[in-house]
Amino acid sequence: MDRAQLADFVRSRRLAMQPEDVGLARGPRRRTAGLRREELAALCLMSVDYLTRIEQGRSTQPSTQMLAAIARGLRLDRAERDHLLRLAGLEPQRTVLDEHVAPGLMRVLDRLADTPVQVLSAIGEVLVQTAPAAALFGDVTARTGLDRSVVHRWFTDPASRAVYPERDHGLRGRAFIAELRQAAADPVTAERAQRIVAALRSSSEEFRGIWAAHEVGVAHGPEKVLVHPELGEIEAQCQRLIDADTGQRLLVFTATPGTVSAERLRLLAVVGVQRLG
């Protein structure tokens, strides 16, 4: 680990960023070149003290997860991400690259901070969410192992289904499995997807039954009914933006302007992860 170079690299990238790059207001009295340290720490979901120690060359070796958070916060591209890992004494691996959110998708997400938006990996792992998305779907970015997979949670954690009305559960389950089947047949994602398949075949009778039907092409569709425990049902449209290089999907949830559903989506930005009493 090259602490001095790691410190310089992180600090230089922070100072090169502008508030507008990450959807922050500049403010009339701002004199700081680039982002403030506390602003980057918030983007990386880490403490200011930890980021300070990295920038001063006083940190212990950061974990892969922490480096991934720094790369996302700094909006690094793949080459910069690889360089960050090597400075920290780690050799980039394919699994690490798969989890690195494409900078272009991050820039879109930055400009939609008041809208439910999340980025999923090619095998259906939620990599990053806006606050309204976390309020609607739950903050799932800290999940680990197989539990990071949306389809794995669907068949192993009944609480994960609460965001959809029960009448839609059958279609959602079939669509999740169709997506997983496609990922399991793709050489790029096959190994990780097949691990999910193996785990679910051994643990879920429901999954085994749907998987055995060999359905393909079952889609969620853009029209969704979502359920918030306090705000109620929300009729939403889900738009997808797919990054061709990584297969990552940026999902944006909107509602028809002037409707009750649009107002409930707006309230998600106000409520955040807090629950109404």
Side-chain angles (χ1 to χ4, degrees), residues 62-267:
S63 67
T64 300
Q65 291 77 14
M66 192 63 72
L67 291 167
I70 293 172
R72 290 172 191 168
L74 290 172
R75 308 310 190 244
L76 301 184
D77 61 27
R78 285 191 177 188
E80 293 170 327
R81 170 68 180 274
D82 288 356
H83 184 61
L84 177 74
L85 290 169
R86 292 189 176 104
L87 289 177
L90 300 175
E91 187 61 29
Q93 301 293 325
R94 181 55 189 264
T95 55
V96 173
L97 290 177
D98 284 346
E99 297 168 7
H100 177 45
V101 178
L105 296 185
M106 286 300 301
R107 284 192 289 270
V108 174
L109 184 140
D110 289 335
R111 285 156 177 76
L112 296 172
D114 61 348
T115 301
V117 182
Q118 50 191 20
V119 177
L120 276 66
S121 73
I123 60 169
E125 300 164 333
V126 178
L127 302 177
V128 63
Q129 301 171 290
T130 59
L136 185 56
F137 295 98
D139 185 355
V140 297
T141 56
R143 301 283 186 127
T144 59
L146 294 177
D147 207 29
R148 298 183 61 198
S149 162
V150 173
V151 64
H152 187 268
R153 292 197 303 276
W154 183 265
F155 288 99
T156 59
D157 179 8
S160 70
R161 303 188 179 196
V163 73
Y164 293 107
E166 188 173 354
R167 64 183 180 272
D168 291 345
H169 287 183
L171 172 61
R172 297 305 165 202
R174 291 167 57 216
F176 282 134
I177 287 181
E179 290 178 339
L180 180 61
R181 186 179 296 279
Q182 182 178 359
D186 186 332
V188 176
T189 54
E191 181 180 355
R192 292 171 68 180
Q194 288 169 5
R195 286 204 297 268
I196 298 171
V197 172
L200 288 175
R201 291 182 70 177
S202 66
S203 63
S204 171
E205 182 177 356
E206 181 186 6
F207 177 87
R208 289 194 297 271
I210 301 174
W211 182 262
H214 285 272
E215 288 187 303
V216 295
V218 181
H220 291 284
E223 306 294 330
K224 296 179 185 293
V225 177
L226 304 171
V227 180
H228 186 274
E230 284 81 26
L231 300 178
E233 289 194 358
I234 301 170
E235 296 181 1
Q237 292 79 47
C238 176
Q239 303 300 321
R240 292 187 176 197
L241 177 62
I242 300 177
D243 181 77
D245 292 333
T246 64
Q248 292 169 358
R249 294 163 283 163
L250 182 141
L251 308 183
V252 182
F253 297 87
T254 61
T256 303
T259 63
V260 172
S261 292
E263 175 62 14
R264 288 175 177 174
L265 282 184
R266 187 191 67 80
L267 286 173

Side-chain angles (χ1 to χ4, degrees), residues 26-32 36:
R26 176 172 292 275
R29 298 184 179 181
R30 189 181 188 94
R31 297 180 179 178
T32 304
R36 298 186 178 99

